[in-house]
Amino acid sequence: MEAMISLAWKTLRHRKAGFAGAFVALFCAAALVTACGMLLETGLRGALAPERYAGAPVIVAGDQFERRVVDKGEGETKVKAKALSELRWIPENLAAGLAAAPGVEKVVTEVTFPAGDALGHGWESAALTPFTLKSGRAPEKAGEVVVDASFRGESFTASGRTYRVVGVTHQALPSQRTVFFSTAEARRLAGRPGLVSAIGVFPQVPVTVKGAIAYTGDERGAVEFRDGDNARIKLISMGGAMGGTSLLVAILVVVGTFALSIQQRQRELALLRAVAATPRQIRRMLGGEALAVSAMAGVLGAGAGIMLGFWLRGRFVALGAMPDNLHLVLSPFPMAAALLATVAAAWAAARVSARRTSKIRPVEALGEAALEKPGLPVGRLIAGLVVLAGSVVLTILLTTLDTEAAAGPVTMLTALAWTLAVSLLAPLIARAVTALPLRGPGAGGYLAARNLRAGTKRMSSVITPLSLMIAMTCTILFVQTTLGAAAHDQAVAGVKAETVLGPGASATAAREVPGVRAVTEVLRTSVRVDLERYGAQAVTPRGLDQTMDLGVVAGSMASFGEKSVALSTKAAGWFGVAVGDRLALTLGDGTPAELTVAAVYTRGMGFGELTLPHALVSKHVDDPRGTLLVAGGDRAALSEAGPLLSPAGNSSSGGAAVNYVAMGLIIAFCAIAVVNTLAMSTSARSREMALLRLVGTTRRQVLGMLRQETAGAVLVSVVLGTLISAITLSAASLGMTGSLMPSVPPLGYLGVIAGVAALALAATAIPARLALREHPAEAIGGRE
């Protein structure tokens, strides 16, 4: 045992270039897993520090979760809770009861509402931060405001009215701009008579309030930043999906890297078998090498993963996917998990890759190293066929998933499963391709064709990362374009209005413009049905037929009123309801509602899975400012009523950019794997290139041979990767959009192929040119 470990260390010292590839793959794997683990742990344990409520020791507010008792069977029950998307307000008269509680010295009521590009409050709630005046005085009249220190100017405009700035505070919050109105004006603008968003209690004493919850510490941040819980849920799902995908990709890449490394050492391992090294000793040596390399790569990669995690957080904050005051949770668990996963993957990869070599009988060892055996080992062939069958099953399953949340992870898993099948069966694919009578021009083409036929194992090891990169890149990029195009097409087809006005536009002003036939007010929100969240829109029914066409296939929007709901065909199937049925749901702030299904429509991706009455929803959202669809009227005149948008402007989503950033790391890892594999493969052929030079082959012919070999591998990989992504994207598109044809921008696809080809050629040419600088005799004499 000690002798084999000593030999493992010696081989590491004397084969630095060969193990550099494995180190790079493991380093990147550890960094990715660590970063994903940090996101996941932040979603599970992260806390939001309060800003606006930092000065109040206790905040009394509504329960920000929708809770439901679920029967687990056998008399057992459990309470399930889901975060609300809108703030649940509480009665203002609760303040009197709190003020009378023992130990309470002061209570402060608070209302929060959107005011221009800031959040508006009544001046009486300034003590919750606390805000203090730097200059001026408190607002006393309806037309006066106090602004925070970040504002400039002598006036402020909100809700179509201009207010005079009468005071400026010392403070400004980092995550929100703040404007204070007089108490009466704040209550009017909030539009919730008799309700408040929160009540501050001074000092911190135990208080109990029926119909509300007392929040202390960082719990106050969850009330102030209601998107924080949603962000944490996104981090959990994103971190889990990214981590799982990264780990699967890492295992595939690491196995391929070790297989290539061991393949390049066939002569060395054959010699060890010939001098009586046992299979167990060979496996121990290779396992020891893998453990040594993976331990070093895992530790360094985990450290780099921390920096990667902070970079990801910065991008998500910039894209609005998480609030700035939701800080990453730092603990040893993600790094330990990354190190363990890296070491386990490397050890398993080395043992699996060495299994066939270590079993060769000593008398056959050198012959096995000198000549490739045709065909595949029976175990690998069976595994390849099993994974191929599993890929077919996953593809069929993907066609049945009609929500992005359910289909997203399965889409990545399907692409990976097909790539794994290609990886396992790659030698057969390479042998079939090289059997074709294909040959490039000149001596380089002749040499390339002969090399590809003689070295199918080498070609198969190159095909795997190239196919993986093309398949994953196309899948990640074009699943987003497919969903975006479907939503855009439905929105364009369904918006009949000639003009769309953005948030803050006045419906009254728009209706007064000459020539306007109809104005539809539209709000975007979400609701819950049986605790599951669904995207919804709220519309004003009057004149809806002139501004919007939802593609109704059952019922009629003519009967749509204040107690009605219209559903997409998908939603109707999910809920098992039809026209005339009653549907119980919960609005964004937790208010229950039971509505009658008036219509079923087809354009759910463009307009939301549910359509609700505007009058009902506007009272239960944090920001009642939506868009206006205007039929008729002059666009120039309408622009005075609010900002102009494109007809499909309400169908866009910022989630695609977040997905691109998150999954882009997987693409980067695949790119590194491509460079790594090709550089390893080319560097290991320095002896071969030196022999070619000695027998009269020119540098140009050698480089031409390598370019044509790489071009052949790229061509095969393009076909395989494109086929994998086409199957995966078609299945995902069929499930989510109903169309078998995904939306793939031609220039985008050509850009992916060109990028992969350029990367592959560069990864081949650079190490080849470095190897060719050395004199052929010295190259042969200095290497095995």
Side-chain angles (χ1 to χ4, degrees):
M1 179 67 178
E2 292 180 2
M4 296 313 294
I5 293 176
S6 174
L7 184 57
W9 277 109
K10 288 179 181 178
T11 56
L12 282 177
R13 287 204 311 270
H14 295 290
R15 301 183 62 89
K16 296 184 180 69
F19 288 102
F23 179 88
V24 169
L26 293 166
F27 176 89
C28 294
L32 274 174
V33 173
T34 299
C36 295
M38 290 173 65
L39 295 180
L40 180 61
E41 189 173 15
T42 299
L44 292 170
R45 302 199 299 124
L48 289 159
E51 291 180 5
R52 169 83 181 114
Y53 296 148
V58 180
I59 291 292
V60 174
D63 186 358
Q64 301 307 308
F65 288 85
E66 176 69 13
R67 304 179 192 272
R68 183 164 299 180
V69 178
V70 179
D71 187 3
K72 295 177 61 178
E74 299 181 358
E76 294 186 18
T77 61
K78 86 173 197 180
V79 178
K80 293 185 68 176
K82 297 288 185 177
L84 299 176
S85 57
E86 313 284 351
L87 176 65
R88 176 177 274 161
W89 291 50
I90 58 176
E92 186 174 9
N93 57 20
L94 292 178
L98 288 168
V104 173
E105 298 175 1
K106 180 176 68 173
V107 297
V108 176
T109 57
E110 153 89 333
V111 294
T112 301
F113 54 91
D117 61 350
L119 288 178
H121 312 274
W123 176 249
E124 76 282 359
S125 64
L128 297 178
T129 306
F131 277 95
T132 57
L133 285 172
K134 178 181 179 181
S135 62
R137 58 176 176 80
E140 299 172 353
K141 301 177 181 178
E144 298 176 343
V145 294
V146 167
V147 297
D148 68 31
S150 66
F151 280 90
R152 297 293 181 269
E154 298 181 353
S155 64
F156 174 79
T157 301
S159 302
R161 180 174 178 179
T162 300
Y163 294 82
R164 184 166 64 93
V165 175
V166 297
V168 178
T169 67
H170 283 97
Q171 299 80 14
L173 301 178
S175 300
Q176 53 192 291
R177 305 183 80 189
T178 308
V179 177
F180 293 101
F181 298 81
S182 65
T183 300
E185 182 69 1
R187 295 296 194 273
R188 185 189 72 81
L189 292 172
R192 304 288 186 95
L195 299 176
V196 293
S197 52
I199 302 172
V201 177
F202 298 82
Q204 182 170 342
V205 294
V207 292
T208 303
V209 189
K210 185 177 181 181
I213 295 178
Y215 299 88
T216 59
D218 284 344
E219 294 175 344
R220 297 168 296 168
V223 180
E224 182 178 351
F225 299 98
R226 292 175 303 286
D227 58 344
D229 284 308
N230 295 330
R232 289 173 57 187
I233 293 170
K234 284 182 182 178
L235 288 179
I236 292 172
S237 61
M238 193 181 302
M242 281 178 59
T245 305
S246 300
L247 196 55
L248 291 174
V249 171
I251 290 172
L252 191 58
V253 169
V254 169
V255 169
T257 302
F258 270 96
L260 178 59
S261 176
I262 292 172
Q263 177 189 327
Q264 293 170 351
R265 299 172 60 190
Q266 288 286 342
R267 183 178 296 274
E268 172 194 328
L269 298 176
L271 286 170
L272 288 173
R273 291 288 291 122
V275 296
T278 65
R280 185 180 183 185
Q281 287 175 324
I282 295 290
R283 288 195 297 269
R284 280 186 174 180
M285 181 190 75
L286 295 174
E289 293 172 356
L291 290 175
V293 174
S294 61
M296 290 185 290
V299 171
L300 295 175
I306 295 175
M307 293 185 288
L308 182 61
F310 277 100
W311 180 85
L312 275 175
R313 179 193 176 276
R315 300 312 309 150
F316 291 158
V317 169
L319 291 169
M322 63 185 291
D324 186 45
N325 62 331
L326 178 57
H327 300 293
L328 286 180
V329 174
L330 288 178
S331 80
F333 297 113
M335 291 179 287
L339 180 59
L340 180 62
T342 302
V343 170
W347 184 84
R351 299 280 290 204
V352 170
S353 301
R355 188 172 183 82
R356 186 181 183 190
T357 301
S358 64
K359 284 187 173 182
I360 299 172
R361 287 183 296 177
V363 294
E364 299 175 346
L366 291 176
E368 173 75 8
L371 184 66
E372 286 187 5
K373 271 191 176 182
L376 280 178
V378 175
R380 181 169 179 174
L381 179 61
I382 293 174
L385 294 175
V386 169
V387 174
L388 190 64
S391 304
V392 173
V393 172
L394 281 173
T395 304
I396 296 172
L397 172 65
L398 190 56
T399 63
T400 66
L401 303 177
D402 53 8
T403 64
E404 189 174 359
V410 179
T411 300
M412 295 297 104
L413 184 60
T414 302
L416 277 172
W418 281 108
T419 306
L420 179 57
V422 166
S423 174
L424 291 169
L425 302 175
L428 292 181
I429 298 171
R431 191 167 294 278
V433 170
T434 55
L436 298 174
L438 301 175
R439 175 185 158 183
Y446 172 80
L447 291 171
R450 302 296 294 179
N451 265 331
L452 288 175
R453 288 192 181 97
T456 53
K457 282 186 178 179
R458 183 171 60 233
M459 183 181 180
S460 66
S461 66
V462 172
I463 287 174
T464 298
L466 285 169
S467 301
L468 175 66
M469 183 177 180
I470 293 170
M472 293 301 292
T473 303
C474 289
T475 301
I476 289 169
L477 294 180
F478 301 140
V479 74
Q480 299 297 328
T481 60
T482 297
L483 296 179
H488 179 270
D489 291 345
Q490 289 188 11
V492 169
V495 174
K496 298 170 66 176
E498 293 85 358
T499 306
V500 179
L501 300 180
S506 170
T508 302
R511 291 188 176 99
E512 293 175 352
V513 172
V516 169
R517 302 188 305 276
V519 175
T520 299
E521 299 175 60
V522 183
L523 274 177
R524 288 283 180 170
T525 185
S526 64
V527 300
R528 290 194 182 274
V529 179
D530 292 330
L531 288 186
E532 294 299 320
R533 177 180 290 178
Y534 302 94
Q537 68 171 356
V539 300
T540 48
R542 183 180 176 184
L544 186 63
D545 59 328
Q546 299 183 61
T547 59
M548 185 182 294
D549 179 9
L550 295 174
V552 174
V553 293
S556 172
M557 293 302 290
S559 60
F560 183 79
E562 294 188 2
K563 298 294 183 180
S564 303
V565 62
L567 305 174
S568 70
T569 51
K570 285 184 181 180
W574 296 332
F575 307 147
V577 295
V579 173
D581 292 342
R582 303 284 287 176
L583 177 67
L585 54 85
T586 303
L587 300 178
D589 67 345
T591 302
E594 187 171 352
L595 307 173
T596 302
V597 178
V600 177
Y601 54 87
T602 58
R603 293 181 175 137
M605 293 191 72
F607 295 94
E609 304 298 347
L610 294 88
T611 297
L612 304 167
H614 188 278
L616 171 65
V617 173
S618 61
K619 301 173 184 177
H620 302 281
V621 294
D622 294 343
D623 189 352
R625 302 170 299 177
T627 57
L628 300 181
L629 302 183
V630 185
D634 179 66
R635 284 178 61 86
L638 286 168
S639 65
E640 298 181 3
L644 295 173
L645 297 179
S646 65
N650 63 337
S651 67
S652 62
S653 172
V658 175
N659 290 333
Y660 285 143
V661 170
M663 303 309 292
L665 294 176
I666 308 298
I667 297 175
F669 187 26
C670 293
I672 292 171
V674 167
V675 173
N676 199 21
T677 302
L678 286 167
M680 285 178 63
S681 178
T682 305
S683 298
R685 298 174 66 184
S686 58
R687 179 185 178 90
E688 174 191 335
M689 288 185 278
L691 284 170
L692 287 172
R693 292 292 311 284
L694 284 176
V695 297
T697 309
T698 65
R699 284 170 52 90
R700 184 176 181 181
Q701 288 172 331
V702 172
L703 290 173
M705 174 194 76
L706 293 173
R707 281 196 300 268
Q708 293 189 48
E709 286 183 24
T710 302
V714 169
L715 181 60
V716 174
S717 302
V718 166
V719 173
L720 293 173
T722 300
L723 187 60
I724 291 170
S725 59
I727 292 172
T728 305
L729 289 170
S730 295
S733 178
L734 182 62
M736 288 187 283
T737 71
S739 171
L740 194 61
M741 295 298 295
S743 176
V744 179
L747 290 179
Y749 172 74
L750 291 176
V752 171
I753 302 306
V756 172
L759 201 64
L761 290 171
T764 302
I766 293 173
R769 288 182 180 276
L770 293 175
L772 289 171
R773 286 181 178 178
E774 195 172 2
H775 192 277
E778 294 178 357
I780 294 175
R783 289 172 175 81
E784 286 184 336

